[in-house]
Structure formats: structure tokens, C-alpha cells
Amino acid sequence: AQRVTQPEKLLSVFKGAPVELKCNYSYSGSPELFWYVQYSRQRLQLLLRHISRESIKGFTADLNKGETSFHLKKPFAQEEDSAMYYCASNSGNTPLVFGKGTRLSVIA
Amino acid sequence: EPEVTQTPSHQVTQMGQEVILRCVPISNHLYFYWYRQILGQKVEFLVSFYNNEISEKSEIFDDQFSVERPDGSNFTLKIRSTKLEDSAMYFCASSHAVRDSRTYNEQFFGPGTRLTVL
């Protein structure tokens, strides 16, 4: 069965410090990996998908098939990055399987 | 930019009552989903809907739940007899059915309905 693991419930960093939000997955086929972000009082929105290999708001995530990881990184955290971050996986139009989420708190 | 909308934003009901949560997916999307998130827990899949029928459902989606697309724009989730443990945020999502290099299969989420069962 698909599973997505985010080991950290809360991550606090100082403004300007690097950020890494961890995500590991298990899936028997060819999964698609995503990072969703939920800012305070807002809806879940897609931040990144592995297939597009893009950088959004300074965040990047590389799919490492050997380690089955899709960690989210940003070299310099900003206060506006404070939010809940969810790693998710699916294949095609199948339902998303979410991790438990990591709350990122960026301290000024 | 088109968005998924959900009504109401908050629903309070008594245990045993029926509730209907409403969603308006993005108009040219063909796949529809319901997820829920119990407070402090992760987002969990309930059901997906395509071509006017359920395409997949989870163990959570038992006989107390049903979905409908009554008029070609709304997508509803009905809970027939609510239980205390149904209290959660319910998210609707929609996506294209056909992949392309730009949109891929991104699921767009609504703002959620907070259901409180007393």
C-alpha cells in the first residue's frame, strides 16, 4: 500500500536559515510526488510536483528513488514560508495519499 | 483563476442527523474527490468520482456516506446519520482527467467545510 511519511511534526528555523522538510514514500509502482502547502486560514495548494522539476518560492524538491525520498528544501527561509507542508503521492488520477504534515515556523 | 468552492464553511449538527456538504468543482474538470482531516491528523481520502460514478473509495466511505453530482456543476457528500467521529474538515478536490505537460493531474482543493457533530 502507498504510504507517505513526514517524520517531523514541527520544524522551527530562524529567518535566513536553510530549511529541509523530510518526506519518504513507499509505493509499488511509479509514484508521482507532490508538496502541498496550507497557509493560515487558506486552502491546500500545490507547491511542487516532482515531474516538473521546478523551483517555486525558492523551494525545490528532488525525487531520490534509491532512498525513496522527496525532501523539500529552501536555502534561506522567509517569515512568509510559515505554514503546514504536506507531502503527497499518487499515480495518474488516483487519490492522493498524504503524509501527516510538518508545520514550519520561521522565526524572525 | 477558477477555484473549487465549498459550502458551508462550517456546519454544526446533532449526532444522528443527515448533512450534505456541497462543492462546485472547476468547470472543465472531470475527476472529483472528497478528503477529510480530523483535527490533528492527516488528510485522508474518502471517495473519487468520474463519469458519473464512484471510481474509488476508502474504508472510511461506508454505507453512511454517499456522493452525487445532481446537476452537472455541484458535487455533494451526504452523511446519512452523523456520528461524533465524523467531526472533521472535509475537502473537495477536482482535476483534469487528461494529462498534459502543463497541468498534469494536479488536484485543486476547495477551502473545506468544518463539520462539527455534537
Side-chain angles (χ1 to χ4, degrees):
Chain A
Q2 256 179 304
R3 192 181 307 152
V4 175
T5 305
Q6 292 179 252
E8 301 138 331
K9 207 169 178 177
L10 173 65
L11 184 65
S12 296
V13 301
F14 285 103
K15 179 181 169 183
V19 172
E20 183 178 52
L21 301 171
K22 291 186 166 51
C23 172
N24 288 89
Y25 67 92
S26 64
Y27 192 68
S28 57
S30 298
E32 294 152 15
L33 275 297
F34 306 87
W35 276 99
Y36 277 82
V37 61
Q38 188 174 31
Y39 300 103
S40 178
R41 300 175 192 269
Q42 295 187 29
R43 67 187 68 203
L44 275 165
Q45 49 189 287
L46 181 66
L47 179 63
L48 282 178
R49 50 184 183 254
H50 90 269
I51 199 79
S52 59
R53 295 178 157 272
E54 56 196 347
S55 173
I56 302 290
K57 300 185 180 182
F59 285 97
T60 58
D62 290 320
L63 182 63
N64 185 323
K65 291 184 180 179
E67 295 181 359
T68 59
S69 68
F70 189 57
H71 302 327
L72 183 68
K73 298 177 185 178
K74 184 169 182 175
F76 308 105
Q78 304 297 315
E79 287 178 76
E80 56 265 29
D81 296 329
S82 296
M84 280 293 293
Y85 290 81
Y86 295 95
C87 185
S89 172
N90 76 348
S91 181
N93 288 104
T94 63
L96 286 163
V97 174
F98 285 88
K100 289 188 177 181
T102 299
R103 180 170 297 284
L104 175 64
S105 176
V106 180
I107 305 161
Chain B
E1 190 173 329
E3 289 184 330
V4 176
T5 59
Q6 288 185 245
T7 54
S9 56
H10 192 184
Q11 173 94 46
V12 181
T13 189
Q14 295 288 329
M15 190 169 58
Q17 295 295 303
E18 174 184 286
V19 293
I20 297 176
L21 309 182
R22 291 184 167 78
C23 169
V24 179
I26 294 173
S27 62
N28 61 345
H29 285 184
L30 298 176
Y31 266 93
F32 314 116
Y33 309 82
W34 282 102
Y35 295 85
R36 79 170 184 192
Q37 185 178 29
I38 294 171
L39 188 64
Q41 297 186 27
K42 64 178 169 182
V43 178
E44 301 173 290
F45 166 71
L46 292 177
V47 65
S48 58
F49 193 85
Y50 173 71
N51 202 25
N52 286 319
E53 61 183 21
I54 290 174
S55 54
E56 198 167 339
K57 60 183 180 179
S58 71
E59 292 174 353
I60 304 167
F61 194 85
D62 61 23
D63 292 344
Q64 293 300 313
F65 291 88
S66 61
V67 288
E68 205 175 31
R69 190 153 160 79
D71 56 14
S73 65
N74 288 283
F75 178 52
T76 62
L77 175 69
K78 183 192 290 186
I79 309 174
R80 198 184 347 255
S81 176
T82 49
K83 303 188 283 285
L84 295 176
E85 53 265 37
D86 292 328
S87 295
M89 279 290 284
Y90 287 80
F91 294 103
C92 174
S94 68
S95 69
H96 288 283
V98 177
R99 295 185 197 185
D100 63 61
S101 60
R102 182 176 60 87
T103 59
Y104 205 50
N105 62 336
E106 178 180 349
Q107 292 183 24
F108 292 81
F109 283 79
T113 293
R114 180 170 297 285
L115 176 65
T116 302
V117 182
L118 302 175

